[in-house]
Amino acid sequence: MCGIAGILEFGRDARASAAALREMCGVIRHRGPDDDGFYTDGAVGIGMRRLSIVDVAGGHQPISNEDGTLSIVFNGEIYNHLALREQLIARGHSYRTHSDTETVIHLFEEYGADCVQHLRGMFAFAIWNRNTRTLFIARDRLGIKPLYYKWTPERLLFGSEIKAVLAHGGIRPEFNRAALPEYLAFGYLSGEESFYNGILKLLPGHTMTVGPEGLAEIRQYWELDASTPHQSRDESYYIHSYRELLEGAVNSHLMSDVPLGVFLSGGVDSSAVAALMTKLRREPVETFSVGYTEQSYSELPFARAVSDHIQSRHHEVLVSEPEFFGALPHLIWHEDEPIAWPSSVSLYFVAKLARERVTVVLTGEGADETLAGYSRYAFTLKNAALDRAYRSFVPGSLRRGLRNAVATSSLLGASLRRTLEHTFLAKDGNSWASFYFDNFFSAFGEVEQEGLLTSEFAREAAPSTAYKNVLDYWERSSGELLQRLLYTDIKTYLVELLMKQDNMSMAASIESRVPFLDHVLVEFATRIPRDMQIHGLAGKRILKKAVEDLLPRSILYRPKLGFPTPWSGWLAGPRLETIREMLLEPRSLERGYFRREAIETLFREHRAQHRDNYDRIWRLLNLELWHRVCLEGEAHDELGEPAMRMLTTR
């Protein structure tokens, strides 16, 4: 695990700056505090920061092949590298280290760009070919490891984090203003663009090859085919097959020369990983959990129950309201973008706790998106069926009247209104953006954005573009409704979750691994028939049955809470007013994005409990803090001073 960065100059006699490369790697030192390494060859420079995990003594990067014509910097883990190593040695390749990084470069010698087809793991890497003067960059299939780049007429810059790209001299961070509608809707950007003008993501499952003339070829090498469910077989087949694949994935993810642990929430996913890890290692494992000082929002009792059951060495941390808000600017700096969900903050605190004892943690990320674990999947299937009947019997004018009543009636409280807003009574079944994305993702839908944005900015940014990227994936999906939902979320929502997981763990210099996202396991899971996946409003039926011998039913079949955060409760106190004042400061309004009266209405509705606007307020606060920290350079130290001084309780 590490952070990587690189420069490729395009001028005839241009040379990559070794000093600039060191600056780019220096700003991501948190990703690899153990070591650094650099390679320059005329127009190219590649570098890295290393968190030593496999072949601690001998895995220094960059690594070259036998004759020095290829050099690589690598971020990630290749879990099948030992099997690949045997094959490559049999084909005549010579190894100098025991590192999985060296396996990648020998694979590239053997297969060229198709080397990625042989890899099982998480990765982002760059290989320089000295003979052909070409640069090859790749990212893993599901986007577990990040890779950003900026292309100018003079050069290509790339790095594991946006801040590494920005650290190259002469680049001024500028807001990608056209991205605001999608952010307001989803809290993140699901396409290749970032929040910064000209800085792009290499999408999951893609490679980039840049030739000596400065021309790039970007190619997709993997696509998830969830369109056709497996032919329905006996339930025992799916249970046995999934258990076998999951146990194999967890076993492969234990590859390490340093201590490992598990992030344990007490939910099914992380509990299954912890139980399998205990079974495989035949010894107590280290488990780490996080909660809040507000006990009603804590899942710690469930995590303790799992820990007691598997007899792990368990560790906990509690996050208080001042700690949460104090860390927010620091974590926005680490993510380089506004934070999509409050749970990122707690993830950072549990990663800090884990770093005191281990270097690697396994997590349960990815099970919900591949096994229909969120209630929104079952709810949408039922909601769609009811909507079809509703639209066939109820005239359009009456449906529009009911939608308006749900949105505006003073007879409805915030809680009941929020519940009804999720049903077919409040959503337009003719618009999938409304029926699914507005229903479960959007803080500000298209109509709400029209009232929020200034008229000048609305003309520039176009609220109608909010859904473009995610709808592109939806239209690309095929098959039954459940498979289309899983495909779209894996391509969009999950990628953002993985970015959060990566950045928050690496902020604490710890590697997180996601065995549920072994791509072979994912390909199997997403094609399990719907009736095997979902029971009532609960998903992950196959997973639960697959680990019934390892965990008590009280853990496996309890209602899913989704790691609640006291954010909405905190907004019932004095902090609501201090956030309002920040968003209405002249410097905030002068950005020209939002109408003052719209923000005032948002807070007035929330204060009166007419509408629960906690997610909308979170979006606006994070955008404002991002501007101050990432664009304007305000302090982002861990105590949050002075950037959060205004948000301290008065």
Side-chain angles (χ1 to χ4, degrees):
M1 174 66 71
C2 67
I4 64 174
I7 306 166
L8 178 59
E9 299 284 352
F10 298 142
R12 180 181 297 274
D13 298 316
R15 303 183 67 83
S17 166
L21 185 62
R22 288 183 177 275
E23 287 288 327
M24 294 169 72
C25 290
V27 77
I28 54 172
R29 186 181 188 280
H30 52 275
R31 298 187 70 92
D34 298 332
D35 189 17
D36 62 14
F38 307 93
Y39 170 89
T40 57
D41 177 21
V44 74
I46 54 176
M48 54 77 68
R49 293 289 323 189
R50 186 180 182 216
L51 181 64
S52 303
I53 292 172
V54 175
D55 191 9
V56 173
H60 175 79
Q61 296 183 38
I63 288 178
S64 298
N65 63 339
E66 297 92 334
D67 62 6
T69 57
L70 301 174
S71 298
I72 184 174
V73 287
F74 174 88
N75 173 27
E77 303 292 348
I78 304 302
Y79 302 118
N80 64 333
H81 89 97
L82 290 177
L84 293 170
R85 179 188 178 101
E86 289 183 8
Q87 297 169 20
L88 289 163
I89 290 174
R91 296 177 73 92
H93 293 272
S94 299
Y95 276 77
R96 295 191 299 273
T97 76
H98 297 284
S99 167
D100 55 345
T101 305
E102 189 173 4
T103 290
V104 177
I105 202 164
H106 290 314
L107 270 178
F108 186 80
E109 283 186 286
E110 195 71 29
Y111 302 107
D114 287 336
C115 67
V116 289
Q117 303 288 356
H118 299 262
L119 300 175
R120 288 182 76 166
M122 55 182 186
F123 54 84
F125 63 84
I127 295 176
W128 172 247
N129 187 325
R130 195 177 67 192
N131 287 342
T132 63
R133 314 302 290 177
T134 58
L135 183 68
F136 177 75
I137 301 174
R139 189 178 179 196
D140 66 67
R141 295 167 178 84
L142 289 151
I144 305 168
K145 294 288 102 185
L147 199 289
Y148 299 90
Y149 67 95
K150 182 177 179 64
W151 196 281
T152 72
E154 294 79 27
R155 65 184 60 88
L156 169 69
L157 304 171
F158 66 88
S160 295
E161 296 183 15
I162 291 172
K163 63 180 64 66
V165 176
L166 292 173
H168 189 278
I171 295 181
R172 180 173 176 270
E174 295 180 353
F175 181 34
N176 176 12
R177 293 161 64 92
L180 184 57
E182 186 174 11
Y183 168 74
L184 292 173
F186 295 99
Y188 54 87
L189 306 181
S190 54
E192 67 174 356
E193 292 195 355
S194 75
F195 273 74
Y196 300 80
N197 266 338
I199 297 182
L200 304 175
K201 312 163 199 170
L202 183 63
L203 292 176
H206 283 68
T207 62
M208 175 193 291
T209 303
V210 187
E213 297 82 17
L215 299 177
E217 177 191 1
I218 295 178
R219 180 175 69 93
Q220 182 174 4
Y221 68 88
W222 181 82
E223 177 63 292
L224 175 63
D225 181 8
S227 61
T228 308
H230 299 285
Q231 288 187 349
S232 187
R233 300 176 66 169
D234 185 84
E235 184 180 67
S236 62
Y237 164 78
Y238 297 104
I239 295 170
H240 173 78
S241 299
Y242 191 83
R243 169 62 178 267
E244 185 176 42
L245 287 169
L246 177 61
E247 190 162 331
V250 171
N251 189 41
S252 71
H253 283 57
L254 299 180
M255 175 190 78
S256 177
D257 295 331
V258 295
L260 300 96
V262 181
F263 283 163
L264 182 63
S265 70
V268 174
D269 313 333
S270 61
S271 299
V273 170
L276 282 168
M277 185 173 170
T278 303
K279 173 182 179 289
L280 291 164
R281 300 192 77 178
R282 300 181 181 179
E283 62 182 17
V285 301
E286 302 274 359
T287 54
F288 305 92
S289 300
V290 60
Y292 295 98
T293 51
E294 291 82 356
Q295 292 299 311
S296 59
Y297 289 91
S298 177
E299 289 195 282
L300 289 178
F302 301 111
R304 291 172 196 147
V306 176
S307 173
D308 290 344
H309 182 77
I310 65 173
Q311 298 184 317
S312 70
R313 293 186 290 269
H314 190 57
H315 314 278
E316 296 178 352
V317 62
L318 288 174
V319 181
S320 68
E321 181 182 2
E323 288 173 321
F324 180 97
F325 282 98
L328 200 51
H330 181 64
L331 302 185
I332 287 172
W333 179 82
H334 272 289
E335 283 209 6
D336 291 312
E337 297 186 344
I339 294 176
W341 303 287
S343 57
S344 286
V345 180
S346 51
L347 177 58
Y348 168 70
F349 278 96
V350 75
K352 274 184 65 179
L353 172 69
R355 189 64 174 95
E356 296 172 6
R357 293 172 174 84
V358 300
T359 310
V360 177
V361 291
L362 274 63
T363 83
E365 208 74 82
D368 285 313
E369 295 79 12
T370 57
L371 290 166
Y374 298 121
S375 60
R376 66 174 178 257
Y377 298 124
F379 183 90
T380 298
L381 296 178
K382 294 181 183 297
N383 207 27
L386 290 170
D387 178 71
R388 286 192 294 271
Y390 176 62
R391 280 191 284 144
S392 66
F393 289 109
V394 179
S397 58
L398 182 55
R399 296 199 306 271
R400 287 190 294 273
L402 284 170
R403 283 201 298 271
N404 185 62
V406 170
T408 62
S409 174
S410 60
L411 300 177
L412 300 176
S415 179
L416 178 57
R417 187 189 312 279
R418 192 174 184 88
T419 299
L420 291 176
E421 282 177 340
H422 284 292
T423 71
F424 62 91
L425 296 174
K427 298 300 178 187
D428 181 2
N430 288 314
S431 166
W432 193 251
S434 168
F435 200 77
Y436 184 63
F437 302 123
D438 277 353
N439 214 355
F440 296 103
F441 298 93
S442 296
F444 295 97
E446 265 183 44
V447 174
E448 292 167 311
Q449 288 189 34
E450 290 173 0
L452 174 69
L453 298 172
T454 63
S455 56
E456 296 81 7
F457 192 80
R459 285 194 296 270
E460 174 189 345
S464 61
T465 64
Y467 305 96
K468 180 185 182 303
N469 289 326
V470 72
L471 283 175
D472 283 347
Y473 284 109
W474 172 253
E475 294 300 331
R476 197 181 305 170
S477 68
S478 59
E480 296 183 5
L481 179 55
L482 178 61
Q483 271 64 41
R484 297 189 70 185
L485 294 173
L486 295 179
Y487 174 90
T488 305
D489 279 0
I490 287 169
K491 291 291 188 175
T492 57
Y493 178 78
L494 178 61
V495 177
E496 179 67 17
L497 280 179
L498 292 171
M499 188 274 282
K500 173 193 81 170
Q501 181 87 37
D502 179 81
N503 279 343
M504 292 301 95
S505 58
M506 292 309 301
S509 302
I510 197 165
E511 174 177 289
S512 60
R513 298 179 177 178
V514 283
F516 281 108
L517 294 179
D518 172 85
H519 77 273
V520 176
L521 182 63
V522 170
E523 289 168 345
F524 178 82
T526 52
R527 296 180 60 201
I528 296 174
R530 180 181 68 180
D531 59 343
M532 300 289 181
Q533 290 272 43
I534 294 174
H535 182 70
L537 289 179
K540 293 186 290 197
R541 181 179 175 186
I542 293 299
L543 170 62
K544 294 169 186 175
K545 288 184 173 293
V547 294
E548 279 185 340
D549 62 317
L550 299 176
L551 293 166
R553 293 182 66 85
S554 59
I555 292 296
L556 291 175
Y557 296 101
R558 72 176 177 88
K560 182 179 178 62
L561 296 181
F563 198 80
T565 303
W567 169 251
S568 58
W570 293 333
L571 289 190
R575 218 173 274 278
L576 180 68
E577 181 60 22
T578 58
I579 294 173
R580 187 190 74 88
E581 290 178 3
M582 170 181 271
L583 296 178
L584 292 175
E585 281 185 10
R587 67 183 289 190
S588 304
L589 293 175
E590 285 168 5
R591 304 190 200 287
Y593 306 150
F594 308 124
R595 297 167 52 237
R596 180 188 184 96
E597 58 271 27
I599 295 177
E600 292 277 25
T601 298
L602 197 73
F603 282 85
R604 187 168 56 249
E605 287 179 342
H606 190 86
R607 194 180 298 109
Q609 298 185 350
H610 175 70
R611 186 180 295 274
D612 191 344
N613 285 325
Y614 75 89
D615 51 348
R616 298 176 179 91
I617 293 169
W618 174 261
R619 292 273 204 281
L620 298 180
L621 171 63
N622 271 266
L623 181 69
E624 179 59 30
L625 288 175
W626 174 75
H627 269 85
R628 297 184 182 201
V629 170
C630 293
L631 296 188
E632 297 166 3
E634 283 202 12
H636 55 78
D637 59 82
E638 206 160 330
L639 297 178
E641 295 292 345
M644 285 301 290
R645 188 176 294 130
M646 187 174 183
L647 290 180
T648 56
T649 303
R650 297 178 297 177

